[in-house]
PDB file of all heavy atoms in Angstrom:
ATOM      1  N   GLY Y 203     -96.858  44.368 -79.876  1.00 87.00           N
ATOM      2  CA  GLY Y 203     -95.740  44.574 -78.966  1.00 87.00           C
ATOM      3  C   GLY Y 203     -94.448  43.973 -79.470  1.00 87.00           C
ATOM      4  O   GLY Y 203     -94.157  43.991 -80.673  1.00 87.00           O
ATOM      5  N   ASP Y 204     -93.681  43.417 -78.552  1.00 88.00           N
ATOM      6  CA  ASP Y 204     -92.372  42.856 -78.871  1.00 88.00           C
ATOM      7  C   ASP Y 204     -92.498  41.846 -80.016  1.00 88.00           C
ATOM      8  O   ASP Y 204     -93.305  40.918 -79.945  1.00 88.00           O
ATOM      9  CB  ASP Y 204     -91.785  42.173 -77.640  1.00 88.00           C
ATOM     10  CG  ASP Y 204     -90.315  41.821 -77.806  1.00 88.00           C
ATOM     11  OD1 ASP Y 204     -89.809  41.873 -78.954  1.00 88.00           O
ATOM     12  OD2 ASP Y 204     -89.671  41.481 -76.808  1.00 88.00           O
ATOM     13  N   THR Y 205     -91.690  42.043 -81.035  1.00 91.00           N
ATOM     14  CA  THR Y 205     -91.825  41.191 -82.225  1.00 91.00           C
ATOM     15  C   THR Y 205     -91.198  39.819 -82.056  1.00 91.00           C
ATOM     16  O   THR Y 205     -91.381  38.954 -82.908  1.00 91.00           O
ATOM     17  CB  THR Y 205     -91.206  41.882 -83.445  1.00 91.00           C
ATOM     18  OG1 THR Y 205     -89.837  42.198 -83.155  1.00 91.00           O
ATOM     19  CG2 THR Y 205     -91.952  43.170 -83.779  1.00 91.00           C
ATOM     20  N   LEU Y 206     -90.434  39.611 -81.004  1.00 96.00           N
ATOM     21  CA  LEU Y 206     -89.868  38.289 -80.723  1.00 96.00           C
ATOM     22  C   LEU Y 206     -90.706  37.667 -79.612  1.00 96.00           C
ATOM     23  O   LEU Y 206     -90.778  38.182 -78.502  1.00 96.00           O
ATOM     24  CB  LEU Y 206     -88.402  38.414 -80.298  1.00 96.00           C
ATOM     25  CG  LEU Y 206     -87.655  37.091 -80.110  1.00 96.00           C
ATOM     26  CD1 LEU Y 206     -87.605  36.302 -81.419  1.00 96.00           C
ATOM     27  CD2 LEU Y 206     -86.248  37.349 -79.601  1.00 96.00           C
ATOM     28  N   VAL Y 207     -91.333  36.563 -79.937  1.00 96.00           N
ATOM     29  CA  VAL Y 207     -92.275  35.937 -79.016  1.00 96.00           C
ATOM     30  C   VAL Y 207     -91.722  34.602 -78.535  1.00 96.00           C
ATOM     31  O   VAL Y 207     -91.251  33.801 -79.341  1.00 96.00           O
ATOM     32  CB  VAL Y 207     -93.628  35.700 -79.726  1.00 96.00           C
ATOM     33  CG1 VAL Y 207     -94.616  35.067 -78.776  1.00 96.00           C
ATOM     34  CG2 VAL Y 207     -94.174  37.006 -80.280  1.00 96.00           C
ATOM     35  N   GLN Y 208     -91.784  34.391 -77.251  1.00 96.00           N
ATOM     36  CA  GLN Y 208     -91.335  33.120 -76.670  1.00 96.00           C
ATOM     37  C   GLN Y 208     -92.537  32.208 -76.472  1.00 96.00           C
ATOM     38  O   GLN Y 208     -93.618  32.646 -76.081  1.00 96.00           O
ATOM     39  CB  GLN Y 208     -90.644  33.362 -75.338  1.00 96.00           C
ATOM     40  CG  GLN Y 208     -89.429  34.285 -75.423  1.00 96.00           C
ATOM     41  CD  GLN Y 208     -88.321  33.710 -76.293  1.00 96.00           C
ATOM     42  OE1 GLN Y 208     -88.041  32.514 -76.255  1.00 96.00           O
ATOM     43  NE2 GLN Y 208     -87.689  34.569 -77.098  1.00 96.00           N
ATOM     44  N   GLY Y 209     -92.324  30.941 -76.733  1.00 96.00           N
ATOM     45  CA  GLY Y 209     -93.413  29.991 -76.562  1.00 96.00           C
ATOM     46  C   GLY Y 209     -93.006  28.839 -75.674  1.00 96.00           C
ATOM     47  O   GLY Y 209     -92.002  28.888 -74.976  1.00 96.00           O
ATOM     48  N   ILE Y 210     -93.806  27.791 -75.749  1.00 95.00           N
ATOM     49  CA  ILE Y 210     -93.523  26.616 -74.946  1.00 95.00           C
ATOM     50  C   ILE Y 210     -92.510  25.730 -75.659  1.00 95.00           C
ATOM     51  O   ILE Y 210     -92.235  25.907 -76.851  1.00 95.00           O
ATOM     52  CB  ILE Y 210     -94.813  25.819 -74.656  1.00 95.00           C
ATOM     53  CG1 ILE Y 210     -95.424  25.309 -75.963  1.00 95.00           C
ATOM     54  CG2 ILE Y 210     -95.807  26.674 -73.883  1.00 95.00           C
ATOM     55  CD1 ILE Y 210     -96.577  24.340 -75.756  1.00 95.00           C
ATOM     56  N   LYS Y 211     -91.946  24.798 -74.932  1.00 95.00           N
ATOM     57  CA  LYS Y 211     -91.025  23.797 -75.454  1.00 95.00           C
ATOM     58  C   LYS Y 211     -89.774  24.418 -76.076  1.00 95.00           C
ATOM     59  O   LYS Y 211     -89.142  23.804 -76.930  1.00 95.00           O
ATOM     60  CB  LYS Y 211     -91.713  22.903 -76.490  1.00 95.00           C
ATOM     61  CG  LYS Y 211     -92.960  22.202 -75.971  1.00 95.00           C
ATOM     62  CD  LYS Y 211     -93.515  21.236 -77.011  1.00 95.00           C
ATOM     63  CE  LYS Y 211     -94.754  20.547 -76.466  1.00 95.00           C
ATOM     64  NZ  LYS Y 211     -95.251  19.498 -77.361  1.00 95.00           N
ATOM     65  N   GLY Y 212     -89.413  25.630 -75.668  1.00 97.00           N
ATOM     66  CA  GLY Y 212     -88.193  26.252 -76.160  1.00 97.00           C
ATOM     67  C   GLY Y 212     -88.303  26.911 -77.517  1.00 97.00           C
ATOM     68  O   GLY Y 212     -87.299  27.317 -78.109  1.00 97.00           O
ATOM     69  N   PHE Y 213     -89.506  27.037 -78.045  1.00 98.00           N
ATOM     70  CA  PHE Y 213     -89.709  27.676 -79.341  1.00 98.00           C
ATOM     71  C   PHE Y 213     -89.858  29.184 -79.206  1.00 98.00           C
ATOM     72  O   PHE Y 213     -90.315  29.684 -78.195  1.00 98.00           O
ATOM     73  CB  PHE Y 213     -90.959  27.113 -80.035  1.00 98.00           C
ATOM     74  CG  PHE Y 213     -90.775  25.733 -80.585  1.00 98.00           C
ATOM     75  CD1 PHE Y 213     -91.104  24.615 -79.827  1.00 98.00           C
ATOM     76  CD2 PHE Y 213     -90.267  25.544 -81.868  1.00 98.00           C
ATOM     77  CE1 PHE Y 213     -90.916  23.338 -80.343  1.00 98.00           C
ATOM     78  CE2 PHE Y 213     -90.090  24.272 -82.389  1.00 98.00           C
ATOM     79  CZ  PHE Y 213     -90.415  23.163 -81.610  1.00 98.00           C
ATOM     80  N   GLU Y 214     -89.479  29.870 -80.260  1.00 98.00           N
ATOM     81  CA  GLU Y 214     -89.680  31.312 -80.361  1.00 98.00           C
ATOM     82  C   GLU Y 214     -90.029  31.636 -81.812  1.00 98.00           C
ATOM     83  O   GLU Y 214     -89.784  30.848 -82.719  1.00 98.00           O
ATOM     84  CB  GLU Y 214     -88.450  32.107 -79.940  1.00 98.00           C
ATOM     85  CG  GLU Y 214     -87.246  31.928 -80.845  1.00 98.00           C
ATOM     86  CD  GLU Y 214     -86.061  32.784 -80.418  1.00 98.00           C
ATOM     87  OE1 GLU Y 214     -85.942  33.108 -79.219  1.00 98.00           O
ATOM     88  OE2 GLU Y 214     -85.262  33.128 -81.305  1.00 98.00           O
ATOM     89  N   ALA Y 215     -90.627  32.788 -82.008  1.00 98.00           N
ATOM     90  CA  ALA Y 215     -90.961  33.228 -83.355  1.00 98.00           C
ATOM     91  C   ALA Y 215     -90.757  34.728 -83.440  1.00 98.00           C
ATOM     92  O   ALA Y 215     -90.928  35.443 -82.456  1.00 98.00           O
ATOM     93  CB  ALA Y 215     -92.400  32.861 -83.717  1.00 98.00           C
ATOM     94  N   GLU Y 216     -90.406  35.177 -84.623  1.00 96.00           N
ATOM     95  CA  GLU Y 216     -90.179  36.597 -84.824  1.00 96.00           C
ATOM     96  C   GLU Y 216     -91.108  37.138 -85.889  1.00 96.00           C
ATOM     97  O   GLU Y 216     -91.163  36.614 -87.009  1.00 96.00           O
ATOM     98  CB  GLU Y 216     -88.732  36.873 -85.228  1.00 96.00           C
ATOM     99  CG  GLU Y 216     -88.408  38.367 -85.322  1.00 96.00           C
ATOM    100  CD  GLU Y 216     -86.942  38.650 -85.516  1.00 96.00           C
ATOM    101  OE1 GLU Y 216     -86.181  37.706 -85.830  1.00 96.00           O
ATOM    102  OE2 GLU Y 216     -86.558  39.822 -85.372  1.00 96.00           O
TER     103      GLU Y 216
END
Side-chain angles (χ1 to χ4, degrees):
Chain Y
D204 192 347
T205 56
L206 186 62
V207 181
Q208 301 297 320
I210 62 171
K211 303 185 180 186
F213 286 92
E214 66 178 27
E216 185 171 13

